[in-house]
Amino acid sequence: MAAIDPLTAGAVFVATAATDAVYVMFTSAVVARKRMPAATWSAIWYLLSSYAVISYTENAFYVAFAAIGSWVGAYASLTFLHRPPGGPPVGASPE
């Protein structure tokens, strides 16, 4: 059984706590349909959650691609799902 590194354990704890906090901010921005904040929170979310990716690949270079892809995905999603205030929800059938 491998020994537990306290520094790594602490880093995982902090990254997980920060990831959850950022996820809440991301969700709030999505619900409010704020594209820039949602895209930015999404990129931060991926940067924080990529700790495992770095651990497995030992190459942090790929994390930049994950963050950029996350930002673009969130921004594009809110751009294409944009509805005027008071309009029908996304996916609602017209009456």
Side-chain angles (χ1 to χ4, degrees):
M1 185 164 146
I4 295 174
D5 178 10
L7 185 58
T8 301
V12 169
F13 174 81
V14 170
T16 303
T19 299
D20 286 352
V22 167
Y23 178 73
V24 169
M25 298 302 293
F26 167 74
T27 303
S28 176
V30 168
V31 169
R33 298 199 186 286
K34 295 182 178 180
R35 294 181 291 180
M36 290 295 286
T40 302
W41 283 119
S42 180
I44 293 169
W45 178 19
Y46 268 88
L47 285 172
L48 291 170
S49 64
S50 65
Y51 185 79
V53 173
I54 294 170
S55 297
Y56 290 118
T57 64
E58 297 180 2
N59 187 346
F61 187 70
Y62 296 108
V63 175
F65 289 101
I68 293 167
S70 169
W71 194 98
V72 170
Y75 190 88
S77 295
L78 288 177
T79 297
F80 293 116
L81 295 177
H82 178 72
R83 298 287 188 260
V90 174
S93 60
E95 295 183 29

